[in-house]
Amino acid sequence: MAVTGRRGNPCAYVGEHWNDIDIHTSVLSAAAAAAAGSELNQSKDQDATTPTSVNYHFTRKCNYKCGFCFHTAKTSFVLPLEEAKRGLKLLKESGMEKVNFSGGEPFLHEKGDFLGKMVQFCKQDLQLPSVSIVSNGSMIKETWFQKYGDFLDILAISCDSFDEATNQLIGRAQGRKSHLDNLYKIRNWCQQYKVAFKINSVINTFNIDEDMTEQIMELNPVRWKVFQCLLIDGENAGEAALREAERFVISDQQFQEFLDRHSSVSCLVPESNEKMRNSYLILDEYMRFLDCREGRKDPSKSILDVGVKEAICFSGFDEKMFLKRGGKYVWSKADMKLEW
C-alpha cells in the first residue's frame, strides 16, 4: 500500500522527507565547513608570529659616521609622537613584552625628549615588562635620567674599542670628543639612576685583535653583546648604500678567535652573521617590519595601515634563531636583582 501524502500524491511525503534530509545535510556541511574554517584560523593564529621583542628604529639620523653602519640616514622622517604611540599600543595588544628604541641615534631627535616620552608611555601606560635603548651615548645628559630614568630598564651603549684612535678610524666619534669618557660617565649615571647598563660592540678589521677583557670586567655590564660585522645591501654595501663596509668585514674564524680571547667574560653574548640576520623584529621609521632574508631590508606595509598581524607576515623573522641567540632573557630591571 502506497503512503499517500498531501493532495493524494504518494510521493509527496517521501519527497518532502528527502528535501528535509538534503536541507539537514546542507546545514551539517555548512557547520562542518565553518568548524574547519575556524580550526584553520585557529591554526593560523597559533602559527602567527608574536612580536614579543621589537626593535623600533624610529629615526635614521645620526651624529656619528660608523663605517659599517647597517641602518643609515636614508631618510630624515620621524613619525609624530601620537602616531608612534598608536603603533606601540598596537604592538602591545599583539603580545609585545619588550621594546628597544634605536636609530640612527635615538637621543638626537628633540634632544632626547621625544624618546623619553615614548619610554615613559611604554612603561607607564602600556606597562611593558621591558623598555630599552641602544645609543652611542654622545647626546645623553644627566637631566634625561632624572626625568625618564625610572621608566627605562636597559641602556645599551655602543663601544667597539677601548682605544680612542681605533674609535676614530671606525667613525665611532664626533670631532675630538672622547667616546670613552662618555661611556664611563653614562655607566655611573646608570648606577645612580637604577638603569641596567649594557654594551654593544661590532667586531671588525679594526678591533679584531683587541683584548677588551679588563675594561669590560671593570664596567661590569649586565650584557655585552658582541656582533660580527654584517653587510646589508642598500645600507652598507651595494650601489645604493651610504656606507661601504666591505673593508670592515671579518671571517667566521676571526670572529671565533675574538670570542675565544674573551671566553672568561661571563656577560658576553656573541652574535655571528648567521644568528643576527633574521632573528630580530626590526621596525623602521614608518613602522614597517624589515625582512633581511635576502641580505637587504625589504619593508612590509606599515602596522599603522594594515595592523600588526598582516605586516608581521612579511618580517622574515626566525623565532627559533631568536631563542637560540638568547633573545629572551631576564630583561626587566625589577627582576635582575642588581646592586645599585
Side-chain angles (χ1 to χ4, degrees), residues 11-25:
C11 298
Y13 176 80
V14 176
E16 288 181 4
H17 178 65
W18 283 110
N19 284 339
D20 287 346
I21 291 173
D22 287 343
I23 292 167
H24 184 61
T25 304

Side-chain angles (χ1 to χ4, degrees), residues 23-42:
I23 292 167
H24 184 61
T25 304
S26 297
V27 170
L28 285 175
S29 298
S38 177
E39 286 180 8
L40 184 62
N41 287 335
Q42 285 178 4

Side-chain angles (χ1 to χ4, degrees), residues 262-280:
H262 295 86
S263 59
S264 63
V265 182
S266 60
C267 63
L268 190 155
V269 180
E271 288 196 17
S272 63
N273 286 174
E274 179 194 9
K275 285 183 178 179
M276 186 181 176
R277 193 182 303 276
N278 305 321
S279 65
Y280 284 84

Side-chain angles (χ1 to χ4, degrees), residues 104-296:
E105 171 47 48
F107 282 88
L108 195 57
H109 187 62
E110 296 182 5
K111 298 182 179 179
D113 204 46
F114 183 91
L115 171 64
K117 288 173 182 175
M118 288 198 294
V119 166
Q120 182 173 356
F121 174 74
C122 286
K123 183 56 77 172
Q124 199 170 59
D125 295 66
L126 299 184
Q127 297 192 335
L128 291 183
S130 183
V131 181
S132 66
I133 298 170
V134 175
S135 167
N136 63 35
S138 64
M139 305 290 292
I140 303 176
K141 307 293 183 187
E142 186 176 6
T143 51
W144 192 95
F145 280 94
Q146 292 167 348
K147 192 172 182 180
Y148 299 112
D150 285 347
F151 311 111
L152 184 64
D153 290 277
I154 304 168
L155 176 59
I157 301 298
S158 299
C159 182
D160 308 310
S161 175
F162 287 92
D163 179 77
E164 291 285 18
T166 302
N167 284 322
Q168 289 282 344
L169 285 170
I170 289 170
R172 185 77 76 186
Q174 183 181 26
R176 294 184 176 275
K177 293 179 182 177
S178 171
H179 183 73
L180 297 177
D181 285 351
N182 272 336
L183 179 72
Y184 282 88
K185 181 170 62 179
I186 292 165
R187 172 67 184 94
N188 292 334
W189 285 339
C190 284
Q191 181 84 13
Q192 183 179 347
Y193 294 99
K194 299 182 179 180
V195 174
F197 177 70
K198 178 181 169 186
I199 296 175
N200 286 356
S201 301
V202 178
I203 309 309
N204 59 85
T205 52
F206 290 92
N207 64 4
I208 187 63
D209 296 319
E210 195 168 334
D211 188 340
M212 307 182 191
T213 303
E214 183 180 341
Q215 292 87 349
I216 294 295
M217 294 288 205
E218 180 187 356
L219 286 160
N220 193 29
V222 293
R223 277 162 79 86
W224 180 31
K225 289 286 283 292
V226 173
F227 303 97
Q228 181 182 3
C229 182
L230 178 67
L231 294 181
I232 296 288
D233 190 58
E235 296 283 359
N236 61 13
E239 291 183 5
L242 297 182
R243 298 284 191 277
E244 295 178 359
E246 286 86 352
R247 66 194 179 101
F248 290 91
V249 173
I250 59 172
S251 67
D252 292 345
Q253 183 180 342
Q254 286 176 303
F255 184 61
Q256 187 57 53
E257 287 171 359
F258 182 90
L259 298 180
D260 292 342
R261 191 180 314 128
H262 295 86
S263 59
S264 63
V265 182
S266 60
C267 63
L268 190 155
V269 180
E271 288 196 17
S272 63
N273 286 174
E274 179 194 9
K275 285 183 178 179
M276 186 181 176
R277 193 182 303 276
N278 305 321
S279 65
Y280 284 84
L281 274 174
I282 301 173
L283 210 61
D284 75 358
E285 65 272 27
Y286 301 101
M287 286 199 153
R288 305 177 301 184
F289 286 109
L290 299 178
D291 182 350
C292 301
R293 284 176 295 183
E294 300 301 322
R296 58 179 184 268

